[in-house]
């Protein structure tokens, strides 16, 4: 059986074979994805993907711990990273440490991820110096959707671009082992990747990133209207609709179940 990827294995991939990451929220899906990807990210996107919320803001620490534990229990090879939800790490470094320590202890995941740039550098330093591996997340930060005025890509002018670069440098210097860059102009993600020493993982970013991540339901074709940067690798939404229609039709016409799908009467 292949060995589990470690944090040093991930950092060693800077500039090498790109890292393949996918979000994952359940044990059965983790079993399917684990042999094929390097990182399973238990993203707080589960608020929308699993619970039908409008944004990630309503996701709680307990929700992340439950889903994180399910994924970590099933993954044998990929590095499992759990997103810290909104409100669990911003108030103080001590509160951030307590929340991250709970995630690490109660899920069995190997790392946490949190959103933020220069404003989170002190927190990241506090966590990493105390043994908590942290993945950063800059650019479009969905937990700041209201402050940003919607899910618009970032780096539209020179000022915004310079701030993204400063954010990336600040969190890299603070000790993150890798950095998600979401929804930014392509050339900015390329520049950030060239200038920081840790692997960048793009989503709606650049082919130059050291890895890529997508939301699993988007790339499987289950999400209704996925963002434009998503390539559909399957059309499971159509397959599920077709299967449900066939099933309901056969139940109503009594074509299902035939005796083959029933327990036979046992002769004494
Ligand atoms: O929550 C999430 O799924 C994420 C990815 C989109 C990077 O943060």
């Amino acid at each position: 059986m292949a060995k589990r990827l470690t944090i040093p294995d991930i950092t060693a991939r800077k500039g090498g074979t790109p890292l393949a990451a996918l979000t994952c929220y359940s044990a059965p899906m983790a079993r399917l994805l684990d042999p094929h990807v390097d990182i399973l990210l238990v993203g707080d996107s589960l608020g929308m993907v699993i619970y039908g919320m409008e944004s990630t803001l309503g996701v709680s620490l307990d929700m992340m711990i439950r889903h994180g534990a399910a994924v970590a229990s099933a993954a044998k090879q990929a590095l499992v990273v759990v997103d810290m939800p909104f409100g669990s790490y911003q108030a103080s470094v001590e509160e951030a440490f307590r929340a991250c320590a709970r995630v690490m202890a109660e899920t069995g995941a190997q790392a946490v991820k949190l959103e933020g740039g220069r404003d989170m550098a002190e927190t990241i330093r506090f966590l990493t110096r105390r043994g908590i591996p942290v993945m950063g997340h800059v650019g479009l930060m969905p937990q700041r959707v209201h402050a940003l005025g919607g899910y618009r890509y970032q780096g539209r002018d020179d000022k915004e671009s310079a701030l993204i670069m400063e954010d990336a440098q600040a969190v890299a210097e603070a000790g993150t082992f890798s950095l998600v860059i979401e929804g930014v102009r392509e050339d900015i993600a390329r520049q950030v990747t060239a200038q920081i020493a840790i692997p960048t993982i793009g989503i709606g970013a650049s082919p130059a990133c050291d890895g890529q991540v997508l939301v699993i339901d988007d790339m499987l074709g289950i999400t209704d209207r996925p963002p434009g940067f998503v390539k559909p690798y399957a059309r499971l939404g159509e397959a599920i609709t077709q299967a449900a229609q066939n099933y309901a039709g056969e139940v109503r016409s009594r074509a299902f179940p035939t005796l083959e799908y029933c327990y036979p009467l046992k002769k004494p």
Side-chain angles (χ1 to χ4, degrees):
M1 196 171 66
K3 229 165 82 327
R4 186 191 294 285
L5 280 171
T6 63
I7 303 286
D9 294 333
I10 299 293
T11 52
R13 295 272 285 273
K14 176 74 188 174
T17 305
L19 292 158
L22 282 170
T23 69
C24 183
Y25 317 109
S26 71
M29 188 60 86
R31 259 177 237 116
L32 291 171
L33 303 179
D34 180 55
H36 310 292
V37 298
D38 302 303
I39 299 173
L40 289 173
L41 170 63
V42 187
D44 61 352
S45 50
L46 65 78
M48 284 111 105
V49 176
I50 305 285
Y51 293 96
M53 295 173 173
E54 286 289 318
S55 73
T56 58
L57 298 179
V59 174
S60 69
L61 190 58
D62 285 340
M63 286 160 83
M64 293 311 301
I65 288 174
R66 271 181 185 241
H67 288 271
V71 171
S73 72
K76 305 290 174 236
Q77 292 176 210
L79 187 95
V80 177
V81 181
V82 177
D83 247 344
M84 296 308 295
F86 177 68
S88 68
Y89 62 93
Q90 293 93 340
S92 69
V93 293
E94 289 81 10
E95 214 175 284
F97 182 82
R98 273 191 286 275
C100 291
R102 263 197 76 195
V103 168
M104 299 296 291
E106 295 179 37
T107 66
Q110 285 78 47
V112 298
K113 171 166 88 60
L114 55 85
E115 296 180 10
R118 289 148 295 149
D119 50 346
M120 276 297 138
E122 189 197 343
T123 304
I124 292 168
R125 201 165 288 115
F126 189 91
L127 296 171
T128 53
R129 286 190 178 163
R130 285 158 183 78
I132 297 184
V134 180
M135 177 184 274
H137 184 151
V138 299
L140 173 55
M141 295 179 261
Q143 292 178 8
R144 301 179 188 199
V145 57
H146 298 305
L148 295 174
Y151 296 102
R152 56 196 281 283
Y153 78 87
Q154 301 295 296
R156 288 167 182 256
D157 57 29
D158 289 351
K159 197 167 151 227
E160 259 186 35
S161 310
L163 290 179
I164 294 169
M165 179 58 78
E166 283 176 31
D167 279 346
Q169 271 161 344
V171 299
E173 279 160 20
T176 51
F177 70 94
S178 61
L179 177 66
V180 168
I181 309 180
E182 179 169 357
V184 302
R185 231 176 50 203
E186 196 274 335
D187 60 307
I188 300 166
R190 190 176 284 275
Q191 278 174 40
V192 168
T193 301
Q195 290 193 18
I196 65 172
I198 53 168
T200 58
I201 301 175
I203 172 163
S206 167
C209 288
D210 301 300
Q212 303 293 328
V213 62
L214 285 176
V215 169
I216 186 69
D217 286 45
D218 291 350
M219 62 85 83
L220 292 180
I222 297 174
T223 308
D224 254 356
R225 278 187 299 277
F229 57 76
V230 175
K231 179 173 175 184
Y233 284 85
R235 305 209 178 273
L236 293 197
E238 287 167 24
I240 292 169
T241 303
Q242 192 58 63
Q245 271 175 7
N246 292 349
Y247 166 75
E250 291 198 359
V251 168
R252 290 180 188 129
S253 68
R254 296 193 186 280
F256 177 83
T258 49
L259 288 179
E260 147 191 30
Y261 295 103
C262 300
Y263 294 110
L265 176 68
K266 282 212 179 94
K267 300 236 163 70

